[in-house]
Amino acid sequence: MGAIDGIHVPANVSIEIQGKFWGQKEKTTQNILTAITFDLKFIYILAGWEGSAHDLRVLGDTLSRPTGLKIPEGI
């Protein structure tokens, strides 16, 4: 495991759910979590969380999924 990071990307969503996707920079965004190896290869991507979701909440969801990110022991 090289690094885990989250990023916000612009999202176009319906007016009814825009509040959930409202990011910190005054626009609707989607929170995406990625993990890469030391040689910069993607090993996990989780997209779909609303922009207002905290990074720790997204990480917790990732680690709790049966097919989610598995962090090797000792890392």
Side-chain angles (χ1 to χ4, degrees), residues 35-44:
I36 60 171
T37 62
F38 285 108
D39 55 352
L40 303 179
K41 294 181 180 174
F42 286 96
I43 57 172
Y44 190 82

Side-chain angles (χ1 to χ4, degrees), residues 24-35:
Q24 296 176 349
K25 298 188 179 178
E26 300 185 14
K27 57 183 158 184
T28 53
T29 63
Q30 187 177 82
N31 198 338
I32 299 175
L33 181 134
T34 60

